[in-house]
Amino acid sequence: MSIAMGARDDDTVTTLAGRLLRLAAVMDNGERKKAAELAGGKHINDIAREMLDAFDEDVIAKTAGLDLDGDAESLDESQSEQFRQAQAKLVDEAVKPLFSAELRNYLENVRKAHDQIIDNENLDTVIASGWDTEREDHAKEVVETFRQFLAENKDELDALQIIYGQTYRQRAITLRMVKAVHAALENSPYNLSVGMVWDAYSTLGAPGVSGRGTVRQLMDIISIVRYEIGQEKVLRPFATGVAERFKGWVFQKNAGNGQFTEEQMEWLRMIRDHIATSGSVAADDLDLSPFGEKGGLGKFYVLFGGEYEKVLNEMNYALVA
């Protein structure tokens, strides 16, 4: 609804894109077909990828007809305006299917039917204005409780061991590991949720915290833990961080001998989206949706040859570490 009402900021668009990708992964064929019909023939995966691509500097530059030598900050004033207009156009086109109330309602009903593990906090209703000292005290209590949870579980849960040890290169964080953290948090005596902890940091005015009052994704627990232990200075959605690191990784790879083709980039962007919602990617994942519809692992091997495993391993490290 925020999108339909005009929101076009990075956090809102990319967070929703990540949620759509997660939902698309568990929808059955009938649900995907119905959603595509309501979206004017466009599949949910494609809508989400276009939303993420609207914040990909390479895609924006190509749309604007610009040669991006470095990053967007290297453009002059005239080029920056071209870049800005091209991005605005990409965002508007990407979110256009979501103007359909019928599609939005259908996706929400599908989400409920699949019982996704999404932290959907009830938004507060304003009954009085002024500084709420009780809320601040509660926020302090929530953060302190979360710290205690981490202290008690950092050596017990695989995902926390990897984050604290920063051993991403040796072992990728999987969706199963992240779900285990959520389960431990929700089933602990502390009775916390990701949204509660996120909003507590926002209430306390911690530097860099963004996105209070929004629906948090499953993978955002990684961002919160990193922020709490000082590995990240900014608390932002996990998908946003993955997208930013992806841009840096692609730029570094293209600066060497040869550049990725457009077809290779299409696959790399799909892998980026998968990592943003699942924490990592494995070769077996490439035979699942949406990769299977594009030729699966076999097609990925054709595009990247004997380097395909190296590419997957590099992305698991570069986009998450």
Side-chain angles (χ1 to χ4, degrees):
M1 182 56 69
S2 294
I3 295 289
M5 294 296 290
R8 299 291 184 271
D9 59 281
D10 190 327
D11 274 0
T12 301
V13 177
T14 58
T15 297
L16 178 57
R19 294 185 68 212
L20 289 175
L21 287 169
R22 274 182 52 215
L23 182 58
V26 299
M27 293 168 71
D28 60 37
N29 289 334
E31 290 168 338
R32 292 193 187 100
K33 183 178 179 181
K34 176 64 175 178
E37 290 175 357
L38 296 175
K42 186 169 289 187
H43 291 284
I44 299 303
N45 271 322
D46 294 331
I47 294 173
R49 283 199 294 271
E50 288 179 10
M51 290 166 68
L52 292 172
D53 286 347
F55 294 91
D56 185 317
E57 290 186 352
D58 291 330
V59 175
I60 300 168
K62 183 177 180 181
T63 302
L66 297 171
D67 183 11
L68 196 61
D69 184 16
D71 56 29
E73 294 181 0
S74 65
L75 300 174
D76 61 32
E77 185 175 346
S78 174
Q79 292 173 324
S80 294
E81 180 60 21
Q82 284 181 256
F83 187 90
R84 188 195 65 76
Q85 291 180 3
Q87 181 178 29
K89 181 179 178 181
L90 284 170
V91 174
D92 285 342
E93 287 297 319
V95 303
K96 190 175 293 184
L98 300 175
F99 290 168
S100 167
E102 190 174 3
L103 174 62
R104 294 197 307 271
N105 291 334
Y106 180 73
L107 292 177
E108 176 64 8
N109 288 332
V110 170
R111 182 192 69 81
K112 291 177 181 177
H114 284 277
D115 194 25
Q116 287 283 331
I117 306 177
I118 295 177
D119 183 14
N120 200 352
E121 293 295 315
N122 294 320
L123 298 181
D124 296 325
T125 300
V126 177
I127 57 176
S129 61
W131 185 251
D132 188 346
T133 56
E134 288 187 6
R135 171 173 288 184
E136 182 179 9
D137 290 341
H138 176 66
K140 290 178 179 178
E141 183 180 347
V142 168
V143 170
E144 187 56 40
T145 302
F146 181 63
R147 288 171 181 162
Q148 189 173 347
F149 169 81
L150 292 179
E152 293 175 358
N153 290 274
K154 65 180 182 180
D155 297 323
E156 303 297 326
L157 297 169
D158 291 341
L160 296 184
Q161 290 178 17
I162 294 171
I163 295 172
Y164 272 84
Q166 299 188 65
T167 55
Y168 306 98
R169 196 181 292 277
Q170 287 76 39
R171 190 180 184 191
I173 292 179
T174 66
L175 185 59
R176 177 189 59 78
M177 294 178 188
V178 174
K179 285 183 176 180
V181 176
H182 275 266
L185 185 63
E186 293 171 357
N187 294 328
S188 71
Y190 307 125
N191 193 29
L192 294 179
S193 68
V194 174
M196 288 171 61
V197 179
W198 192 290
D199 285 354
Y201 284 113
S202 178
T203 297
L204 295 175
V209 180
S210 63
R212 188 184 190 284
T214 59
V215 178
R216 303 262 57 88
Q217 287 193 79
L218 199 65
M219 302 307 297
D220 286 339
I221 188 66
I222 297 177
S223 300
I224 295 175
V225 175
R226 283 174 163 175
Y227 185 80
E228 167 57 32
I229 65 178
Q231 290 181 7
E232 295 278 359
K233 294 183 179 180
V234 176
L235 181 55
R236 58 186 176 177
F238 180 74
T240 301
V242 168
E244 182 175 303
R245 287 186 283 269
F246 174 75
K247 289 190 290 186
W249 179 76
V250 169
F251 178 74
Q252 182 182 39
K253 299 294 288 187
N254 281 341
N257 296 323
Q259 294 190 337
F260 293 124
T261 66
E262 184 54 41
E263 190 172 14
Q264 286 177 321
M265 282 300 303
E266 180 182 7
W267 273 81
L268 295 178
R269 293 185 188 108
M270 287 195 295
I271 293 172
R272 170 201 65 190
D273 299 343
H274 182 85
I275 291 175
T277 57
S278 301
S280 61
V281 65
D284 291 347
D285 294 330
L286 301 188
D287 283 324
L288 304 176
S289 180
F291 308 105
E293 289 90 327
K294 302 287 186 178
L297 180 59
K299 180 62 175 180
F300 188 72
Y301 180 81
V302 170
L303 290 174
F304 292 92
E307 295 283 298
Y308 81 97
E309 286 186 307
K310 180 181 178 182
V311 171
L312 293 179
N313 290 335
E314 280 192 18
M315 292 187 74
N316 276 331
Y317 176 71
L319 273 60
V320 179

